[in-house]
Amino acid sequence: MAEVINDIKRSENLVYAKTKVLTDNVMHYCPGCSHGVVHKVLAEVIDEMGIQEVTLGVAPVGCAVLIYNYIDIDWQEAAHGRAPALATAMKRLRPDRYVFTYQGDGDLAAIGTAETIHACNRGENIVIIFINNGIYGMTGGQMAPTTLEGMKTATCPYGREPSHDGNPLKITELLAQLPGTAYVTRQSVHTAAAVRKTKKAIRKAFEKQKENKGTSVVEIVSTCNSGWKLTPVEANKWMEENMFPFYPLGDMKDE
Amino acid sequence: MSELRLMKGNEAIAEAAIRCGADGYFGYPITPQSEVMETLMALKPWETTGMVVLQAESEVAAINMLYGGAGCGKRVMTSSSSPGISLMQEGISYLAGAELPCLVVNVVRGGPGLGTIQPSQSDYFQSVKGGGHGDYKLIVLAPSSVQEMADFVELAFDLAFKYRNPAMILADGMIGQMMEKVELKPQKKRWTNEEIEKMHPWATTGKKNSRERNIITSVELDSEKHEQANIRIQKKYKELQEKEVRYEAIDTEDAEYLLVAYGSSARISLAAKELLRKKGHKVGLLRPITLFPFPTKQIRELAEGLKGILSVEMSAGQMVEDVRLAVEGKIKVEHFGRMGGVVPTPEEVADALEQKLIGGQ
């Protein structure tokens, strides 16, 4: 059997391989979580553009805090919400480098709202990758700024009630209004087709940076099946039925 | 070429930053230090040395811009005043945790709260005892003249990079606002990216195939490893304490009484010392230049021949605790200070020393 497999594993038969920009470290993410897929396509884009040696990433606080264990580039780990401030200085001091942030909804749209809006408004020439799963995953499933109305979390156990908890925030629509943003899009990674689209979007965002166009924001509506207390398959279905109507997919701005 | 100028302390900070080859300034306006950024913006160093100057949306953003810039191995700085420095404390803790060098200038005003825009020294604890969360210290330099405002910019950067630790210039509204003659040093070149890669191999400059990826972080979830990180940081502080103490001692040889004061208070105490000497009292002055590392050993040694020490600060008494720790209860240590932006006169200081230590002749 091993002989047969080795015979098949010849380079001319190779149709797919893990990008070298992704490390061999085992990811800590829950099975079914979207982070792993987004990491993979992000690493593939860096590989395919040949920019591994000239790309600097900024990691968030949240489940992706350890992203630097998985993508083989130079990284800085930011304080909660401050990634766009780091990226602002990094890009201004090293305009010859690609700089991106990778942030969750609590990081980007709650504690880091000011840093996000002002980096985008200044048109910092950076890429922001925004994972929106409507919940705080790492701290154990509390309400996020993007938690849907009626959605149950550890800190809105009876469902988000806007009169008490406030409304879900469509921050990406807000960022698209700012003159500093060049490309703003919302994607997902729940199907093979969606993964391909997300990869294309991330590639486009980095191309915009190459062209000095300003800030690009790629939101990826994601699943947190552990936080949502659903199986991975149920989580994908729930996301399609509940998240997509409120957070519709597609490009919001492309200049 | 060196150049002689009459200028404000805040302006001197800005001029010195450009001249020593700083790479970036990120700040947010607050009185009494706004002239730092105003001077930089007027001088437009991005057109000459290439230094980046940016007005951030908040002090919180500014200090995190320092993190990003320092992580790239660049010489970056900010300036602010007390309430703004409070906002930066989270970021300062992260910088210390990630062992990043940078310069934070605090032109102190009276607190607590919004307080006043007048000079104060009530941020001593916040500056030398940590300020943010966790076990860390800043390298703290206390200028007492406009010349030192200029000179300490480069010194702070040098110490910060030598020890990979944030450094602070702890000034006050008086030093920031007053004008004095300053000798400005000639323009130095900024480090090139190639020099940074060689000098600071830890910096995020882009992962070459020839090396492992660089990660700037303060997180370590394994507590055993995190303890090791803490031990490494504490070793630096010990080394700083052994090697980098700076102070000025004036008329301490025959002194029976000692004034200990830094910054503006040291200027006032120097005049108070003269008044007391004229009255026949043998008084000396010790001016700590580094507040961390504190001249503990020097004060302890001096205390052997003294009858008492007066710690003079524009605060309710903060540095006095470190002076007391230094003398270990062997002699009397008293505090004199004014608060809320009130600057004491030399006569007040002299009276305080007579009453509290000599016995109110």
Side-chain angles (χ1 to χ4, degrees):
Chain A
M1 190 62 189
E3 263 176 41
V4 178
I5 289 171
N6 282 334
D7 192 48
I8 293 167
K9 277 171 64 182
R10 283 179 307 184
S11 57
E12 61 264 36
N13 290 334
L14 202 66
V15 291
Y16 182 80
K18 181 178 79 66
T19 161
K20 67 176 185 353
V21 177
L22 218 49
T23 67
D24 290 328
N25 294 332
V26 177
M27 290 187 186
H28 69 283
Y29 301 113
C30 308
C33 169
S34 305
H35 274 305
V37 182
V38 181
H39 284 19
K40 187 196 76 164
V41 294
L42 171 59
E44 284 175 354
V45 167
I46 291 168
D47 192 4
E48 286 163 21
M49 286 180 74
I51 57 173
Q52 184 182 14
E53 294 194 355
V54 291
T55 299
L56 310 177
V58 186
V61 169
C63 285
V65 65
L66 302 177
I67 187 172
Y68 50 70
N69 285 336
Y70 312 127
I71 297 181
D72 193 19
I73 56 168
D74 277 0
W75 283 98
Q76 293 196 28
E77 208 294 303
H80 199 23
R82 317 303 176 208
L86 270 68
T88 293
M90 291 160 75
K91 185 68 187 182
R92 284 184 181 239
L93 289 159
R94 289 305 302 260
D96 58 334
R97 294 293 184 256
Y98 290 87
V99 178
F100 73 91
T101 72
Y102 186 104
Q103 303 174 259
D105 40 49
D107 192 87
L108 180 140
I111 195 165
T113 311
E115 284 79 6
T116 304
I117 286 179
H118 286 281
C120 288
N121 198 44
R122 288 190 301 262
E124 298 296 342
N125 195 28
I126 57 172
V127 173
I128 295 174
I129 295 171
F130 168 33
I131 304 297
N132 175 12
N133 55 19
I135 204 160
Y136 284 73
M138 190 179 70
T139 42
Q142 295 83 9
M143 184 177 73
T146 51
T147 296
L148 296 173
E149 187 177 340
M151 190 172 161
K152 290 177 182 171
T153 74
T155 50
C156 52
Y158 309 106
R160 182 175 197 158
E161 169 51 60
S163 67
H164 182 268
D165 306 313
N167 297 288
L169 179 61
K170 292 186 178 183
I171 186 121
T172 308
E173 275 83 349
L174 206 154
L175 299 176
Q177 304 303 313
L178 303 173
T181 48
Y183 175 53
V184 181
T185 187
R186 182 182 283 129
Q187 302 294 335
S188 73
V189 289
H190 68 303
T191 64
V195 172
R196 280 196 294 274
K197 275 190 180 173
T198 293
K199 185 173 167 182
K200 256 175 95 174
I202 293 174
R203 169 98 191 207
K204 186 186 247 185
F206 278 90
E207 298 283 0
K208 295 275 182 195
Q209 186 171 154
K210 193 178 187 176
E211 296 160 17
N212 286 311
K213 292 277 190 186
T215 317
S216 291
V217 182
V218 181
E219 175 183 337
I220 298 144
V221 183
S222 300
T223 55
C224 174
N225 45 288
S226 296
W228 295 357
K229 309 207 186 310
L230 297 169
T231 67
V233 174
E234 287 168 352
N236 275 345
K237 192 160 175 283
W238 190 90
M239 178 170 70
E240 281 186 274
E241 289 171 358
N242 298 279
M243 295 283 276
F244 293 170
F246 192 78
Y247 299 113
L249 305 186
D251 288 354
M252 289 174 218
K253 189 178 192 178
D254 185 359
E255 287 175 354
Chain B
M1 279 277 288
S2 293
E3 201 182 330
L4 270 184
R5 290 246 210 110
L6 178 71
M7 61 200 313
K8 281 188 175 188
N10 289 336
E11 295 165 346
I13 291 271
E15 278 278 359
I18 299 171
R19 284 168 183 256
C20 80
D23 297 303
Y25 172 96
F26 304 88
Y28 187 81
I30 183 171
T31 310
Q33 64 76 50
S34 295
E35 294 88 352
V36 180
M37 185 162 44
E38 287 170 7
T39 305
L40 286 166
M41 288 293 188
L43 290 171
K44 294 200 279 187
W46 53 92
E47 289 181 357
T48 51
T49 68
M51 180 185 182
V52 170
V53 186
L54 182 65
Q55 180 167 337
E57 61 270 30
S58 67
E59 289 89 348
V60 175
I63 194 70
N64 283 283
M65 289 172 183
L66 257 63
Y67 186 108
C72 294
K74 299 284 182 176
R75 300 213 290 181
V76 288
M77 63 181 289
T78 187
S79 63
S80 188
S81 182
S82 310
I85 298 289
S86 295
L87 275 171
M88 291 184 184
Q89 291 302 334
E90 176 204 41
I92 293 174
S93 167
Y94 275 70
L95 281 152
E99 295 185 76
L100 291 178
C102 68
L103 168 59
V104 179
V105 179
N106 183 2
V107 182
V108 181
R109 57 191 253 182
L114 197 52
T116 176
I117 58 171
Q118 307 301 331
S120 175
Q121 295 180 314
S122 50
D123 290 359
Y124 178 89
F125 282 152
Q126 191 196 46
S127 308
V128 307
K129 306 291 181 189
H133 58 285
D135 280 320
Y136 76 90
K137 287 184 183 298
L138 303 178
I139 299 161
V140 184
L141 300 170
S144 74
S145 65
V146 176
Q147 183 67 56
E148 284 189 338
M149 284 288 254
D151 294 345
F152 288 0
V153 172
E154 188 171 16
L155 175 62
F157 273 128
D158 288 349
L159 290 171
F161 272 88
K162 185 174 174 190
Y163 292 92
R164 279 190 65 183
N165 199 70
M168 176 176 276
I169 291 180
L170 187 69
D172 59 65
M174 197 160 102
I175 303 284
Q177 291 296 327
M178 74 181 183
M179 294 183 92
E180 283 186 310
K181 187 177 73 176
V182 194
E183 184 183 350
L184 294 168
K185 286 185 183 162
Q187 179 67 51
K188 283 191 182 172
K189 283 206 173 96
R190 288 172 54 230
W191 293 333
T192 65
N193 290 330
E194 292 69 32
E195 284 169 338
I196 288 171
E197 276 180 42
K198 268 190 207 146
M199 287 188 294
H200 313 302
W202 46 265
T204 53
T205 50
K207 186 210 165 293
K208 293 267 189 316
N209 258 331
S210 52
R211 68 158 167 85
E212 292 289 301
R213 63 186 175 283
N214 283 342
I215 299 162
I216 302 292
T217 184
S218 61
V219 65
E220 177 50 70
L221 298 174
D222 180 329
S223 53
E224 295 290 335
K225 284 186 190 164
H226 192 49
E227 186 181 42
Q228 288 309 312
N230 267 280
I231 289 169
R232 189 176 65 242
I233 291 172
Q234 292 302 320
K235 264 190 195 157
K236 288 197 305 200
Y237 301 148
K238 196 162 174 270
E239 197 183 336
L240 273 156
Q241 190 71 61
E242 284 162 7
K243 295 182 183 168
E244 305 295 350
V245 171
R246 286 167 170 78
Y247 65 97
E248 185 183 12
I250 302 168
D251 285 348
T252 52
E253 296 78 10
D254 65 337
E256 293 178 347
Y257 298 96
L258 186 69
L259 290 158
V260 179
Y262 67 95
S264 292
S265 289
R267 299 282 288 263
I268 298 157
S269 296
L270 184 64
K273 177 195 74 69
E274 293 302 322
L275 292 174
L276 289 159
R277 284 262 168 188
K278 274 180 195 156
K279 289 175 90 172
H281 302 305
K282 289 183 176 171
V283 178
L285 170 68
L286 187 128
R287 175 172 78 93
I289 293 171
T290 51
L291 297 178
F292 180 81
F294 192 70
T296 306
K297 194 171 135 251
Q298 290 73 14
I299 292 174
R300 181 174 301 152
E301 284 168 6
L302 272 177
E304 298 291 334
L306 294 172
K307 291 180 179 168
I309 295 179
L310 184 68
S311 176
V312 183
E313 311 162 60
M314 292 189 283
S315 74
Q318 299 189 12
M319 182 182 68
V320 64
E321 293 190 4
D322 285 333
V323 179
R324 286 194 176 120
L325 282 170
V327 306
E328 294 173 322
K330 284 176 188 154
I331 55 165
K332 198 172 178 185
V333 178
E334 293 287 347
H335 158 75
F336 175 74
R338 298 294 301 267
M339 292 177 283
V342 179
V343 179
T345 62
E347 291 75 16
E348 276 180 276
V349 174
D351 286 352
L353 188 137
E354 285 190 309
Q355 281 168 24
K356 289 174 186 250
L357 295 177
I358 302 174
Q361 291 102 320

